[in-house]
Amino acid sequence: MSEEKSLTTKSLFARSDVQKKFEEMLGKKAPGFITSVLQIAASNALLSKAEPMSLYNAAAVAATLDLPLNSNLGFACIVPYQQSYKDEKGNWQKKQVAQFQIMAKGFKQLALRTGQFLKINVTDVREGEIKEHNRLSGEILFEWNQTAEREKLPIAGYVSYFRLLNGFEQTFYMSVDQIKKHATRYSQTYGKKNSKGEAIKSKWDDDFDSDRK
């Protein structure tokens, strides 16, 4: 599929070869899926400026995994990224691209499809609920606060847990500080400012706690 300068997201997804590709992956769901991609691109100022082929590639990943592209559902989404590249003269430039991003429910959905998981869960950890952390084995001992006062305590971090049918289990914990450091390094919005020097708003800022679950 050659990339043309005049190519737009709408014209790209209107092509018969592109529609056929999504029909092969999604069957009768393809038209609705393509419509959702176009709506997502049109409703986001940054995504509307993204290279059409990057939107196609992001959408193709979602279609391959059969995950709905709606950030409100929490399975997967398409997010805008600035990508650096060298132009023909060797000068560094930036362009807007779209990138597929799997979300918490998406990971759960893929795990459940394997048929190997007995339990999967994630929860917040309040201040004082970690009693022991064995750095060698990685085992964390929690003592959960069961009182009504728990909701008033500061959130110290988040923990995920799974157990397979064969008995293998794994726990993973990150403190709020560790999550914020991760966001500072990898998020394109958290703690960042736009060209006008204004803070970029996202769920990291508006709904930090609910978005971690």
Side-chain angles (χ1 to χ4, degrees):
M1 214 177 288
S2 61
E3 189 171 4
E4 304 170 8
K5 290 184 179 180
S6 59
L7 192 67
T8 66
T9 298
K10 189 174 181 179
S11 64
L12 174 62
F13 281 84
R15 282 167 37 170
S16 58
D17 59 329
V18 169
Q19 293 185 1
K20 183 179 179 180
K21 187 67 177 179
F22 281 102
E23 285 172 5
E24 292 173 355
M25 293 186 283
L26 296 171
K28 294 181 180 180
K29 294 189 291 184
F33 180 84
I34 290 175
T35 298
S36 70
V37 173
L38 294 175
Q39 289 175 340
I40 290 168
S43 63
N44 186 297
L46 294 178
L47 281 179
S48 66
K49 299 175 183 177
E51 290 189 342
M53 281 305 300
S54 69
L55 272 161
Y56 167 82
N57 291 329
V61 175
T64 301
L65 298 176
D66 195 11
L67 293 173
L69 285 171
N70 186 325
S71 59
N72 293 322
L73 295 178
F75 289 94
C77 62
I78 296 179
V79 294
Y81 272 83
Q82 271 200 342
Q83 188 178 81
S84 298
Y85 71 99
K86 280 188 177 181
D87 60 21
E88 297 175 352
K89 297 180 179 180
N91 298 317
W92 282 103
Q93 305 288 347
K94 288 185 177 181
K95 61 182 178 180
Q96 202 72 38
V97 297
Q99 182 172 305
F100 169 80
Q101 186 166 302
I102 191 168
M103 302 172 77
K105 288 182 181 178
F107 281 114
K108 250 185 202 180
Q109 182 63 225
L110 295 181
L112 291 173
R113 289 177 192 173
T114 69
Q116 298 300 312
F117 286 78
L118 181 65
K119 290 184 180 180
I120 305 175
N121 194 35
V122 61
T123 185
D124 59 65
V125 178
R126 301 285 169 156
E127 192 174 84
E129 290 185 325
I130 295 180
K131 293 303 176 184
E132 184 181 335
H133 187 180
N134 188 320
R135 294 175 62 85
L136 184 60
S137 67
E139 185 177 4
I140 302 176
L141 177 64
F142 297 95
E143 187 174 303
W144 303 109
N145 187 331
Q146 304 295 340
T147 69
E149 298 298 311
R150 182 182 188 276
E151 295 301 314
K152 298 179 182 179
L153 295 173
I155 295 177
Y158 296 87
V159 61
S160 61
Y161 168 82
F162 73 79
R163 182 189 296 172
L164 300 181
L165 293 175
N166 63 12
F168 177 79
E169 57 184 1
Q170 184 71 56
T171 299
F172 180 72
Y173 171 80
M174 286 185 75
S175 68
V176 169
D177 285 343
Q178 288 174 321
I179 292 172
K180 287 181 177 180
K181 286 179 181 177
H182 179 89
T184 300
R185 181 174 181 181
Y186 295 105
S187 173
Q188 293 267 315
T189 57
Y190 181 72
K192 305 297 192 301
K193 295 182 179 180
N194 59 26
S195 58
K196 297 180 180 180
E198 303 167 333
I200 300 175
K201 290 294 182 181
S202 69
K203 279 193 172 184
W204 282 101
D205 304 287
D206 300 333
D207 209 358
F208 181 91
D209 293 319
S210 69
D211 201 37
R212 308 283 76 77
K213 297 179 182 179

